[in-house]
Amino acid sequence: MEISKNGSDKTLIIVDNVFESLTKLLKIVENKGIEDNGISELAAVSKNAKLSDNISIGAFSYISDNTEIGENTKIATQVFIGKNVKIGKNVKLYPGVKIYHECIIGDDCTIHANAVIGSDGFGFKTDSKGKYQKVPHVGIVIIENDVEIGANTVIDRATFGETIIRKGVKMDNLIQVGHNVEIGSNTVMAAQTGIAGSTQIGENCMIGGQSGFAPHLKIANGSKFQAQSGVNKNIKTENGAFQGTPAIDFTNHMKSTVVFKNLPEMQKKILDLEREIMKIKQELDESKNH
């Protein structure tokens, strides 16, 4: 970094990376929105909960039996944490977050308002009479270190085993993650994305808003999906870019869009050609008859 006048009456601060430097400055002045006043008298904390040092718990939050909470974790108001939950160090839970029983949250995670971690997946099967019977979900959710989860996002617990959000994942608001999904490290996804059960998203993927993934898919590392992509088959080649429903190669989709916009004109030309061909055929038939 250097400071320069650069022939101006204003002082210029020259840095290698503007965004990175601005981010560092904003972290200094950021208001995290969670009061750091220790454990509120209006919070309900089980006697069996294990709390580390420098923890803050806001009013009307509930901490269940055998929960473990790491040091420097900040829990806002009206947060529910179920039995046997494990929460790491330096975690921030904003108002209204719900973490169901047995789930595991790693270090340095941020979970924004009204997100739900560990609710049942959407699992129902018809019985012999055609009536839907609920399939119990006895698995958990594991969220690894340095994950951020947006407001009103829901991550379902596994039917068996784990739903896993790997380290460094960043999730926007209003995202639905189904049971037994695994999201690879450093993947980012925008709002209103939905991932159906047992799909595996690779590492370093980028997923645009309102994208949807069918169940039981495997998505290669580095895959990029434009907004509103609908993915219904496995992606095997790494670092590809896709768009559309069903999602296809991004470049091919752009070419297809050009064709699609011209379809009315192309249809008119085809109909005109058909009429012209019919006219020529009739003329040939008439000449043969004469």
Side-chain angles (χ1 to χ4, degrees):
M1 182 183 75
E2 62 178 291
I3 298 176
S4 172
K5 287 290 186 179
N6 199 28
S8 169
D9 60 350
K10 298 179 177 62
T11 299
L12 304 178
I13 300 176
I14 301 171
V15 297
D16 293 330
N17 188 313
V18 173
F19 183 78
E20 183 178 346
S21 300
L22 180 60
T23 300
K24 290 179 180 178
L25 290 173
L26 290 174
K27 285 182 177 179
I28 295 173
V29 301
E30 177 187 18
N31 180 357
K32 294 182 170 58
I34 301 177
E35 294 183 4
D36 189 5
N37 296 326
I39 300 175
S40 170
E41 294 181 356
L42 298 177
V45 180
S46 168
K47 294 180 180 179
N48 297 324
K50 299 177 182 178
L51 307 183
S52 298
D53 295 335
N54 197 32
I55 289 176
S56 177
I57 302 176
F60 308 113
S61 288
Y62 186 90
I63 313 299
S64 301
D65 292 344
N66 300 314
T67 290
E68 298 179 16
I69 301 176
E71 61 188 17
N72 300 316
T73 287
K74 311 302 177 190
I75 299 173
T77 61
Q78 297 181 324
V79 172
F80 172 83
I81 299 176
K83 292 182 178 180
N84 303 310
V85 167
K86 294 182 180 179
I87 298 175
K89 299 180 292 185
N90 305 312
V91 173
K92 296 191 287 290
L93 304 180
Y94 282 85
V97 168
K98 307 294 187 289
I99 302 176
Y100 282 38
H101 53 284
E102 312 286 346
C103 293
I104 300 172
I105 313 296
D107 298 338
D108 302 304
C109 291
T110 299
I111 304 179
H112 287 277
N114 299 316
V116 178
I117 311 299
S119 53
D120 283 355
F122 190 65
F124 296 89
K125 299 293 182 183
T126 51
D127 61 17
S128 58
K129 298 180 180 179
K131 181 180 178 181
Y132 281 102
Q133 300 290 339
K134 183 177 177 63
V135 177
H137 288 68
V138 298
I140 62 172
V141 173
I142 297 176
I143 297 175
E144 295 186 344
N145 298 343
D146 192 31
V147 171
E148 181 148 348
I149 297 170
N152 294 299
T153 286
V154 178
I155 301 175
D156 292 341
R157 70 194 309 110
T159 310
F160 302 103
E162 302 93 19
T163 300
I164 305 176
I165 313 299
R166 296 294 184 188
K167 65 180 180 180
V169 168
K170 312 301 180 188
M171 302 172 68
D172 200 356
N173 306 325
L174 295 165
I175 288 174
Q176 162 64 29
V177 177
H179 52 228
N180 293 94
V181 165
E182 180 175 345
I183 300 176
S185 60
N186 296 312
T187 285
V188 295
M189 60 182 65
Q192 298 182 351
T193 290
I195 304 174
S198 299
T199 282
Q200 298 178 16
I201 307 291
E203 300 176 358
N204 300 305
C205 293
M206 300 177 68
I207 300 172
Q210 295 186 331
S211 294
F213 292 79
H216 303 281
L217 300 182
K218 292 185 178 180
I219 307 301
N221 296 339
S223 298
K224 298 176 177 64
F225 299 92
Q226 297 292 323
Q228 296 187 330
S229 293
V231 187
N232 60 3
K233 63 180 182 179
N234 294 331
I235 305 293
K236 299 179 180 179
T237 303
E238 294 187 358
N239 302 314
F242 306 90
Q243 186 172 8
T245 300
I248 61 173
D249 175 78
F250 175 71
T251 301
N252 287 341
H253 184 273
M254 295 297 288
K255 293 176 180 177
S256 300
T257 300
V258 173
V259 173
F260 181 77
K261 289 190 295 185
N262 293 325
L263 278 180
E265 182 180 347
M266 292 172 65
Q267 182 190 35
K268 183 177 181 300
K269 288 181 179 180
I270 291 171
L271 292 174
D272 289 343
L273 286 171
E274 286 180 341
R275 284 191 288 266
E276 191 68 26
I277 291 170
M278 290 300 296
K279 181 179 178 182
I280 293 171
K281 183 179 179 182
Q282 287 176 355
E283 290 175 351
L284 288 173
D285 290 343
E286 289 175 0
S287 65
K288 287 179 181 179
N289 292 333
H290 289 98

